[in-house]
Each structure stands twice: as structure tokens, then as C-alpha cells.
């Protein structure tokens, strides 16, 4: 008798707990109407970013890239690519050869170099000297130091381009702080460092953002790829816009790729109705408070920390771990974004979840494991949906500008959240498809997107430089 009463009491306790948990997590749920509102606000800021008179105050900067009409073919030969966008820096040799069937074939060799903290946060000279040292090492290893190769540089920070090979760094993001770089021409900084070193020569023909490199790299697989997207440490999108809408650049004909820099959306208060207490804490303790607010709802740099804050809230409400958190769980940054993917990949035996929580100094019950999974799902689902609303906005704009009844388009995507989270893709695609009724959208995953794309852009730069823009 006694035993059955206990289990009944436990069940009731569990039901009560789950009800309270659902209540707290329900804040992360967004209705279709709310997602449409996010989309409309995104479109409004995009249009403001494109126009000369509102560009300065727009939160979405819509930076022209000077990459015009996507490449029709490519030069054949050896090209180098550099890829700087996070804590790792990549040098890549790309050999573009002719291929009977597809027109060309592409082979790559690459090497990763990790960037020391003092180069990320020291002076621009230190950072670019380190980069040219890595290039020199790579050329030695492949015995190509004597060649003066064309180089494409993927540089994944907000840049105001003045040409394909000239761009001013507006501001660092993603933990970089190197002084003396903001406001300067990035290609110039790299050229100076190579000159200082003096043991090799390079012909830097193009600098692009990682979204652009992803788009170009996927264009080689699928001719209708006109959008490039990254959902990883950061989150950003580029797309082919009609030249007559790009007011910051002279010229009316054809299309130019625009780097939206949409991670900064929200900078004028457009996301205030959607941000929760956890988002505010993440933002306040970040390196760039008040900036990149949209990105902070979506990207891998912040997702794990959002989940940790939700778990702490549940502990404080006595709904998780018997109201006791470990010191580790109380530590900022201890709950990594990869844990979110691993927890949501758990097959139902809770083993993965149990192991991760144990490694954080917590001994969870089965109910605790289920609650932690729900918290992860709430944060990552909102990320996928709010990201999908933004992309739907971009694609609907493309269709309207082209005055088409139906737009058939491919989106090239790269980034660890998109590639590694077990459900992000599905949830994200669903929202995009739901919100773009007159579009036929295909998603392709970019392989080696940023590096390959940069090299391919340098391979076609001479042709693309024929992008006739009146001075």
C-alpha cells in the first residue's frame, strides 16, 4: 500500500514540476505571427541599409561586396586562399583544372593554424605578421615559395568594400580586438605584412566575406545558388541583389552580391519584444554589449550559455537538480554549445545527457535529464525559427525585386550549428519554406566553403572584375 502511495505522490510531484518547467520554457515559443513580424522588421532594415539616406542609421548594413554576376567559368591554374574568421586561420592551395564533363575540377590542400590570444588582441601588425608567417610556412611545406600566386582572402568581419580587393574593417566581432585595424584597408595590412617579411610575393586579387565564399563555392555545384549563409560561431547571409537597389554603388545593370551583416539586426530596438532575460544577461556579459543582438539569439557562440542560464533559472525555482547547482554549472561558459547538439542527439536512454551533466558536477535523476533536454530544445528551436524568419525575408525580397510569380533558388549553407546540430536544419528549413509561399528553395551544404570559395573567386576575379561600375 505504502509503496503505491509514494509512487502516486512522486508522479504528481513530477507532473507539477513539468507544468512549471513548461511554463518557464514557453517564453521561447514564437507564433507564426511573431515570426512574420521578425521577417517584416528584417526587410525594413535591409531596405534602410541599401539606401544612401538611411544607410548610416540602419542596423542591417547591406554592404556591397563588388562581387558581380556569378562566375561563368574559371581560370585554370594554382590559387591560394586564406580564411580568417574565427580562432583558426586556414591557408589553402586550390588547383583548378579542366574536366571534360563538368568543365573544371578542383583539388585542394590546406593547413590550419590556430591564432594565439596575443595576436587576436594585440596590434594589427602582430596579427598580420603572424598570418604572413603562416603563409610562409605553408609555401615552404608545398615547395611553392618561388611562385607568385593569385590569392583570395576570406575575411569574415564587417567590411566596407571600395573594390573587390579593397575593404575597410568597420569593427571586429567574435572575440578579435587587434588595435589599429578598424578603419583601415585589410588587404593593405596584409600586403604590408608580406612586404615586411620579404621572403615571398603574393598577388592579392580579392577579399570576400565567408558568406560570399560559401555562395560562390556552392555555385560551382548548383547554378541557381544566389544566397550564401553561415550559421556557426556567428550568423550572417549574403545574396545577389539588383544593382539598381544598391544605392551605395553607381550603376543600374545586373546584380551585385550584398553582405547583409544581419547579425547586427536589433541594434535599433527591433528585437526588444522578443529578447528574454537570458538574452539580456548573455549580451551584457559579452565583449560587445548592445551589438550583434540577432546573432546572439542564434549562433553557436552564445547558444550553450543561453541554455546554462535557463538551467540556472530552473534550479533557482527548485525545479531541477533538487534546487542545487554545481560550482561548474554556475560558471559562465561551462555549458558548451556542442553539449546542446549532443543532448538533443540522445536516443532516449539518457546516457549522453547523464554523462554531460556528470562532467559538470551534477548527478541528475531521469526527470532532470528530460528537463535539461527540453531546455536545450527550447533554445535551439527558437534559434532555428528566428533565423528562418530572417532568411524568408531575404528570399521574399529577391522575388519581389525580380517581379517573379515564383522564384527558384538555391541557398548554400556552412557553419557548425547548421551542420552538427541534429534538428536545427529541419526546424530552420520548415520555417523558411512556410514563410516563402511563392518560392522553390533548395538548400545545399557547402564543403570547404570559405577557403574554396575564396580561391574560386580569385580564379574568376579577372572575369568578375569586368563588373562594369562607373567611378
Amino acid at each position: 500500500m505504502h509503496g503505491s502511495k509514494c509512487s502516486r505522490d512522486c508522479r504528481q510531484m513530477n507532473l507539477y514540476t513539468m507544468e512549471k518547467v513548461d511554463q518557464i520554457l514557453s517564453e521561447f515559443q514564437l507564433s507564426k505571427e511573431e515570426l512574420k513580424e521578425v521577417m517584416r522588421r528584417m526587410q525594413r532594415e535591409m531596405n534602410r541599409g541599401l539606401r544612401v539616406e538611411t544607410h548610416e542609421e540602419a542596423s542591417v548594413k547591406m554592404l556591397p561586396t563588388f562581387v558581380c554576376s556569378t562566375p561563368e567559368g574559371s581560370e585554370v591554374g594554382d590559387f591560394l586562399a586564406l580564411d580568417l574568421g574565427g580562432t583558426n586561420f586556414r591557408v589553402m592551395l586550390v588547383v583548378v583544372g579542366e574536366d571534360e564533363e563538368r568543365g573544371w575540377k578542383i583539388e585542394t590542400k590546406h593547413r590550419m593554424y590556430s591564432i594565439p590570444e596575443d595576436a587576436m588582441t594585440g596590434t594589427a601588425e602582430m596579427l598580420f605578421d603572424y598570418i604572413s608567417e603562416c603563409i610562409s610556412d605553408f609555401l615552404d611545406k608545398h615547395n611553392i615559395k618561388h611562385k607568385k600566386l593569385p590569392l583570395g582572402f576570406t575575411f569574415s568581419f564587417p567590411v566596407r568594400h571600395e573594390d573587390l580587393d579593397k575593404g575597410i574593417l568597420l569593427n571586429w566581432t567574435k572575440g578579435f580586438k587587434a588595435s589599429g585595424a578598424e578603419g583601415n584597408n585589410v588587404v593593405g595590412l596584409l600586403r604590408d605584412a608580406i612586404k615586411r617579411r620579404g621572403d615571398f610575393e603574393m598577388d592579392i586579387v580579392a577579399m570576400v566575406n565567408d558568406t560570399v565564399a560559401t555562395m560562390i563555392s556552392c555555385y560551382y555545384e548548383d547554378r541557381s545558388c544566389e544566397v550564401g549563409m553561415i550559421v556557426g560561431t556567428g550568423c550572417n547571409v549574403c545574396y545577389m541583389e539588383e544593382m539598381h537597389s544598391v544605392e551605395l554603388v553607381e550603376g543600374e545593370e545586373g546584380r551585385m552580391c550584398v553582405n547583409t551583416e544581419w547579425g547586427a539586426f536589433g541594434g535599433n530596438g527591433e528585437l526588444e519584444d522578443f529578447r528574454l532575460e537570458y538574452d539580456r544577461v548573455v549580451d551584457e556579459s559579452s565583449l560587445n554589449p548592445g551589438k550583434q543582438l540577432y546573432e546572439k539569439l542564434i549562433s553557436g557562440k552564445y547558444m550553450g550559455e543561453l541554455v546554462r542560464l535557463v538551467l540556472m533559472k530552473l534550479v533557482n525555482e527548485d525545479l531541477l537538480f533538487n534546487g542545487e547547482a554545481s560550482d561548474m554549472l554556475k560558471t559562465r561558459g561551462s555549458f558548451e554549445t556542442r553539449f546542446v547538439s549532443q543532448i538533443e542527439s540522445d536516443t532516449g536512454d539518457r546516457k549522453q545527457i547523464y554523462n554531460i551533466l556528470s562532467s559538470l558536477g551534477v548527478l541528475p535523476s531521469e526527470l532532470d535529464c528530460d528537463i535539461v533536454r527540453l531546455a536545450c530544445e527550447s533554445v535551439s528551436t527558437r534559434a532555428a525559427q528566428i533565423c528562418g524568419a530572417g532568411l524568408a525575408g531575404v528570399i521574399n525580397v529577391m522575388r519581389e525585386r525580380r517581379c517573379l510569380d515564383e522564384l527558384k533558388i538555391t541557398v548554400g549553407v556552412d557553419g557548425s550549428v547548421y551542420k552538427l546540430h541534429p534538428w536545427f536544419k529541419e526546424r530552420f528549413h520548415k520555417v523558411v519554406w512556410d514563410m516563402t509561399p511563392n518560392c522553390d528553395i533548395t538548400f545545399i551544404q557547402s564543403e570547404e566553403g570559405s577557403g574554396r570559395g575564396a580561391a574560386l573567386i580569385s580564379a574568376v576575379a579577372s572575369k568578375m572584375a569586368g563588373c562594369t561600375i562607373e567611378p
Side-chain angles (χ1 to χ4, degrees), residues 67-69 226 240-243 253-257 402:
V67 170
C68 298
S69 53
E226 293 188 84
M240 297 304 290
E241 175 58 276
E242 306 306 299
M243 267 304 284
E253 293 305 307
R255 292 177 187 147
M256 181 184 279
C257 179
R402 296 176 188 190

Side-chain angles (χ1 to χ4, degrees), residues 237-287:
V237 161
C238 72
Y239 70 102
M240 297 304 290
E241 175 58 276
E242 306 306 299
M243 267 304 284
H244 60 78
S245 300
V246 186
E247 289 187 8
L248 300 174
V249 179
E250 296 282 318
E252 295 290 309
E253 293 305 307
R255 292 177 187 147
M256 181 184 279
C257 179
V258 168
N259 164 20
T260 64
E261 283 299 332
W262 81 358
F265 176 56
N268 295 330
E270 315 87 309
L271 289 168
E272 287 319 294
D273 336 358
F274 304 103
R275 291 171 70 231
L276 307 176
E277 56 187 284
Y278 321 102
D279 301 307
R280 295 180 202 285
V281 175
V282 161
D283 175 45
E284 281 154 19
S285 50
S286 69
L287 278 167

Side-chain angles (χ1 to χ4, degrees), residues 13-161:
M13 262 311 286
N14 288 357
L15 280 172
Y16 168 80
T17 302
M18 286 312 274
E19 233 169 78
K20 292 302 237 183
V21 167
D22 285 340
Q23 221 173 326
I24 287 172
L25 296 180
S26 68
E27 285 194 294
F28 283 94
Q29 289 165 12
L30 294 165
S31 67
K32 180 142 191 194
E33 239 349 280
E34 288 174 309
L35 290 171
K36 278 190 176 153
E37 186 53 34
V38 171
M39 174 175 92
R40 284 191 288 266
R41 292 179 193 183
M42 175 67 80
Q43 290 174 320
R44 194 168 63 227
E45 284 305 303
M46 284 170 64
N47 286 325
R48 280 159 47 82
L50 285 169
R51 302 190 52 196
V52 170
E53 70 266 33
T54 45
H55 172 80
E56 271 317 307
E57 74 242 23
S59 64
V60 180
K61 286 295 178 218
M62 306 296 282
L63 304 168
T65 64
F66 290 81
V67 170
C68 298
S69 53
T70 33
E72 270 324 308
S74 147
E75 305 294 331
V76 171
D78 294 2
F79 301 90
L80 265 194
L82 305 182
D83 182 5
L84 177 67
T87 41
N88 289 324
F89 161 69
R90 214 160 36 142
V91 186
M92 186 183 271
L93 173 65
V94 179
V95 179
V96 182
E98 307 237 14
D99 177 352
E100 291 307 305
E101 284 157 43
R102 292 181 51 198
W104 54 76
K105 64 175 190 296
I106 297 154
E107 287 168 26
T108 56
K109 296 172 183 154
H110 69 96
R111 192 179 172 91
M112 278 291 207
Y113 297 89
S114 72
I115 299 178
E117 184 72 24
D118 56 353
M120 283 171 73
T121 55
T123 65
E125 270 193 10
M126 285 161 68
L127 177 62
F128 284 92
D129 282 346
Y130 176 73
I131 288 171
S132 66
E133 184 188 324
C134 296
I135 300 172
S136 172
D137 173 75
F138 183 87
L139 298 174
D140 278 336
K141 287 198 165 46
H142 293 282
N143 297 320
I144 45 175
K145 212 164 212 174
H146 55 288
K147 290 185 172 180
K148 184 178 180 181
L149 296 176
L151 176 113
F153 186 15
T154 305
F155 183 74
S156 310
F157 300 94
V159 164
R160 173 161 289 121
H161 275 268

Side-chain angles (χ1 to χ4, degrees), residues 28-31 35 38 294 298 378-391 424 427-428 430-432 435:
F28 283 94
Q29 289 165 12
L30 294 165
S31 67
L35 290 171
V38 171
Y294 185 61
I298 298 167
S378 300
V379 171
S380 67
T381 300
R382 180 188 66 163
Q385 291 182 332
I386 213 156
C387 183
L391 185 64
F424 186 92
R427 296 167 187 162
F428 164 70
K430 184 180 183 314
V431 169
V432 179
M435 295 177 72

Side-chain angles (χ1 to χ4, degrees), residues 341-353 373:
S341 295
Q342 289 162 359
I343 284 169
E344 289 190 60
S345 305
D346 192 276
T347 50
D349 62 6
R350 306 183 178 88
K351 248 202 197 95
Q352 295 243 61
I353 306 177
R373 185 188 185 119

